[in-house]
């Protein structure tokens, strides 16, 4: 038995009966195995239903019950109630105990512990009955009434089966619109919102019970899917030991171990890891490293950066300055941003024969402005949010040589491409080169916590720090122990090498599934690389209507501008990848993308 097939059977059964509620009886305790890898708690977690826990009431029962309650809480499950049933011999091993006082004390302690965690789950003390006759059943029913009433009030709708959300859940969007501001959205003309109850594997479960196949990996970060047990275990263990401590003057094992492992995975020559809070900040750190390096060696005139058009590097001030000034979404702030230099977008596509002329403009810019350029920064092989353009790796090899000739640094922004997304652990591997500075983030923690890193070679580190120099940056939550521990667990999963097969399978299915879109009206280009699929339209799409269409189709995709793109988690099975592609094809066929 496995959880996914059991879950499907349960939902199929519920759909065939006119039941307002569904009661599932467990196969014993929470950790009763269903197979070699999964147990009852895993099944409960993928169902997401409230749990009514039944425990024996006897001398020594508190340990087992409290551990079960902790396990439920750590899996994000709601305790519906707790029933205590005395064992045949409650004082076994300790004769002479005041049994009535002991049983009452057990219930009192459990109520107190639940209240301390904010739970109002009823604790019901049930008697042992000699005969389950009509009177016995009636007595049990009266005692269990508080639990039944609470469940009727709180979970009265069959949300798991796709019914209407509860009034509280329906109210969530209204509360959101009164208090929250969403990314790239208006606070007046509210964007469409879908309330999410929970996640698992490659699924997002909405408040009304509908499940969406995730095609975005939560903005490309959740590469292992959601609620991965190895990542969550690392989070819990580290949380119990040390959630965070300042990194100035202190260090800890999760950060050091993560830095060592990152250096072992990254292109050869990178030697120092600087941790930060997010990808955008990691880019700012890289820019500051380049400026400090140039300043330390007396090149005080090298104060600007060269970058291709079509790039996107984040939303902080420094990162915005090296985004495309036209398509990078930051034109409004042009007056306050540092003035950078922009060269032509790499013109030679990934699958095309390399054209050396694609480097001509980069060569001209470096020859003309080289003395004031601190570094060249770009996204290797894949330009992400700036247009999802895949270009030839040979461009990077040629650009690296041009940077060496101009005595300027080379920065790779691998925030979107790192950790296997393109089919290589880092996109720099496609070109077989190592930059002076590399930024990574997003998938670093598998999408569980925010963490990024800026990694540089010995030349940069020693250049900044010679003659007593120090690097002038220090985030408060730098090298957060929780995030570093989870990132280490994510690298554990990647080190197995399974991601290579997973990404290869997704690439194959994306190529097959998106192929019919090539000949559809309005489509400019269809391209696939690794676990990235892109349908580029000739005109901007209607994001609102298209997003709503995809939700109705049972998938989660978030298009922007002229791009309908897919970046599913690596754990996505073949059928779900093809389902994502089919939803895109159907949207184009029905014209859901049109304004």
């Amino acid at each position: 038995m496995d959880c996914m097939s059991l879950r499907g059977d349960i939902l199929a059964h519920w759909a065939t009966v006119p039941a307002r509620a569904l009661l599932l009886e467990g196969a014993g305790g929470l950790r009763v195995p269903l197979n070699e890898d999964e147990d009852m708690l895993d099944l409960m977690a993928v169902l997401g239903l409230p749990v009514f826990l039944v425990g024996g009431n006897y001398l020594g029962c508190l340990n087992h019950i409290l551990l079960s309650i902790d396990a439920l809480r750590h899996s994000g499950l709601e305790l519906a109630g707790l029933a205590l049933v005395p064992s045949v011999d409650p004082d076994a091993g300790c004769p002479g105990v005041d049994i009535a006082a002991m049983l009452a004390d057990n219930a009192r302690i459990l109520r107190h512990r639940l209240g301390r965690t904010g739970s109002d789950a009823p604790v019901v003390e049930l008697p042992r009955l000699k005969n389950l006759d009509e009177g016995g059943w009636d007595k049990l029913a009266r005692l269990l009434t508080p639990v039944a009433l609470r469940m009727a009030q709180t979970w009265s709708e069959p949300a798991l089966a796709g019914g209407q959300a509860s009034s509280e859940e329906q109210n969530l969007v209204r509360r959101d619109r009164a208090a929250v501001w969403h990314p790239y959205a208006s606070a007046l003309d509210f964007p469409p919102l879908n309330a999410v109850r929970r996640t698992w594997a490659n699924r997002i479960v909405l408040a009304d019970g509908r499940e969406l196949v995730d095609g975005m990996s939560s903005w490309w970060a959740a590469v292992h899917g959601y609620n991965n047990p190895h990542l969550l275990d690392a989070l819990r263990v580290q949380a119990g030991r040390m959630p965070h401590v300042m990194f100035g003057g202190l260090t800890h094992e999760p950060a050091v171990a993560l830095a060592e492992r990152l250096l072992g995975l990254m292109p050869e020559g990178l030697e120092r890891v600087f941790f930060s809070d997010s990808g955008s900040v990691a880019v700012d750190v890289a820019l500051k490293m380049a400026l400090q390096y140039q300043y330390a060696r007396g090149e005080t005139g090298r104060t600007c950066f060269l970058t291709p058009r079509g790039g996107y590097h984040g939303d902080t001030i420094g990162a915005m300055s090296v985004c495309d000034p036209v398509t990078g979404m930051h034109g409004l702030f042009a007056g306050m941003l540092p003035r950078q230099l922009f060269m032509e977008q790499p013109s030679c596509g990934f699958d095309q024969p390399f054209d050396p002329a694609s480097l001509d403009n980069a060569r001209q810019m470096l020859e003309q402005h080289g003395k004031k350029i601190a570094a060249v920064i770009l996204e290797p092989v894949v330009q992400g949010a700036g247009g999802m353009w895949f270009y030839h790796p040979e461009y990077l090899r040629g650009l690296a040589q041009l940077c060496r000739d101009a005595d300027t640094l080379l920065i790779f922004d691998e925030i979107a491409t790192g950790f296997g997304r393109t089919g290589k652990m880092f996109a720099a591997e496609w070109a077989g080169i190592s930059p002076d500075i590399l930024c990574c983030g997003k998938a670093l923690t598998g999408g569980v916590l925010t963490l990024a890193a800026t990694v540089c070679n010995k030349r940069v580190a020693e250049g900044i720090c010679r003659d007593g120099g120090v690097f002038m940056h220090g985030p408060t939550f730098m090298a957060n122990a929780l995030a570093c521990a989870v990132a280490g667990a994510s690298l554990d999963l990647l080190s197995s090498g399974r991601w290579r097969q997973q990404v290869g399978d997704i690439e194959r299915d994306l190529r097959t599934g998106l192929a019919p879109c090539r000949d559809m009206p309005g489509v400019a280009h269809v391209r696939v690389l690794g676990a990235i699929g892109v349908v580029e339209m000739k005109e901007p799409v209607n994001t609102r209507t298209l997003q709503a269409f995809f939700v109705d189709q049972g998938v989660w995709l978030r298009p922007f501008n002229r791009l309908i793109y897919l970046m599913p988690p690596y754990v996505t099975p073949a059928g779900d990848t093809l389902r994502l592609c089919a939803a895109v094809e159907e949207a184009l066929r029905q014209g859901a993308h049109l304004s």
Side-chain angles (χ1 to χ4, degrees), residues 335-346:
M336 66 178 291
L337 297 178
R339 300 288 181 175
Q340 312 296 7
L341 297 170
F342 292 88
M343 57 188 176
E344 292 177 0
Q345 184 181 49

Side-chain angles (χ1 to χ4, degrees), residues 454-465:
T454 305
V455 189
C456 69
N457 59 22
K458 184 177 181 180
R459 170 191 176 194
V460 172
E462 292 187 351
I464 291 173
C465 300

Side-chain angles (χ1 to χ4, degrees), residues 518-555:
R518 296 183 189 276
D519 300 323
M520 301 190 75
V523 174
H525 195 251
V526 175
R527 49 188 178 270
V528 174
L529 177 63
I532 311 171
V534 181
V535 177
E536 182 177 349
M537 307 302 294
K538 295 177 182 177
E539 301 292 336
V541 300
N542 187 324
T543 301
R544 288 194 174 208
T545 59
L546 198 49
Q547 183 174 303
F549 177 87
F550 286 140
V551 169
D552 288 341
Q553 294 288 307
V555 303

Side-chain angles (χ1 to χ4, degrees), residues 334-407:
M336 66 178 291
L337 297 178
R339 300 288 181 175
Q340 312 296 7
L341 297 170
F342 292 88
M343 57 188 176
E344 292 177 0
Q345 184 181 49
S347 58
C348 191
F350 185 90
D351 295 324
Q352 301 170 354
F354 179 65
D355 181 4
S358 63
L359 282 162
D360 287 350
N361 186 246
R363 183 179 296 106
Q364 293 167 7
M365 294 295 288
L366 285 166
E367 289 175 353
Q368 183 178 352
H369 303 287
K371 292 300 182 182
K372 60 181 182 181
I373 295 173
V376 175
I377 179 170
L378 76 168
E379 302 153 282
V381 177
V382 176
Q383 289 186 309
M388 291 292 173
W389 170 242
F390 311 154
Y391 63 90
H392 203 288
E394 190 65 38
Y395 179 92
L396 294 174
R397 284 190 283 269
L399 182 63
Q401 183 59 54
L402 292 176
C403 288
R404 286 190 290 269
D405 294 343
D407 195 21

